[in-house]
Amino acid sequence: MLQTHPEINLRLIDKMTLDPNDKGINCGIEYRFEAAKDVQSERLLPDEVVVLAAPALLQEREIASVENLASVPLIETERRLVSWRVILKSYPWFKTQKILTFSYSLHAFKAAELGLGVVLGNRHNA
C-alpha cells in the first residue's frame, strides 16, 4: 500500500483497546466478540483457538488429553476471548493449576516457545 500510495502517512499504534473518542484514528483492528455499534466494522478472521507448545516441552511431557494439562503450566493473555479459565473451569484440578498471564499474545507465545508452558492462540496469527 505504501508503494502505491506514497501520499499516505501511516502510524501504527499498539494498544489493548481503541479509544472511540480518539479522532486521530482512521482505521483500527480490534479483537472482540462482536462489532462495535458506533463504527463501521467487519470480521477479518474467525477466532479458531489452538493449543501451542514448544517441541521440547512436548518431548518431555505427554499432552494427549485435557487431563494431561494438569501437570503443565498454562499460559494465557488477559484479553483472549477464549481462555484456559473458560475451557477448564469444570475440572477439579484446575483450581490449583499454575497459570502464567501476560498482557500481550506476543509475550505469551514467547513464553510458550521457551518451554514455560502451553498457550492458547488463534490459528490465523499463531
Side-chain angles (χ1 to χ4, degrees), residues 15-80:
K15 292 184 176 181
M16 292 292 280
T17 58
L18 294 175
D19 178 358
N21 298 317
D22 187 343
K23 301 303 181 202
I25 297 174
N26 300 103
C27 178
I29 298 174
E30 289 187 291
Y31 178 62
R32 54 174 52 239
F33 277 119
E34 59 189 35
K37 293 177 177 53
D38 56 342
V39 296
Q40 177 186 348
S41 66
E42 64 183 78
R43 176 182 280 198
L44 296 177
L45 302 167
D47 192 24
E48 295 180 44
V49 177
V50 294
V51 178
L52 304 167
L57 179 77
L58 296 176
Q59 288 175 353
E60 292 174 13
R61 301 178 187 207
E62 179 184 357
I63 303 176
S65 71
V66 172
E67 294 298 333
N68 296 137
L69 293 172
S71 65
V72 180
L74 304 177
I75 302 169
E76 65 181 18
T77 55
E78 292 174 348
R79 293 198 66 234
R80 278 229 48 88

Side-chain angles (χ1 to χ4, degrees), residues 68-117:
N68 296 137
L69 293 172
S71 65
V72 180
L74 304 177
I75 302 169
E76 65 181 18
T77 55
E78 292 174 348
R79 293 198 66 234
R80 278 229 48 88
L81 300 178
V82 178
S83 69
W84 289 119
R85 296 169 203 283
V86 170
I87 295 171
L88 301 174
K89 66 183 174 187
S90 64
Y91 291 87
W93 52 263
F94 184 70
K95 292 178 179 77
T96 59
Q97 183 67 25
K98 174 76 173 172
I99 299 178
L100 306 172
T101 305
F102 294 88
S103 295
Y104 293 97
S105 295
L106 175 67
H107 300 142
F109 294 157
K110 187 63 177 179
E113 180 185 333
L114 293 172
L116 300 179

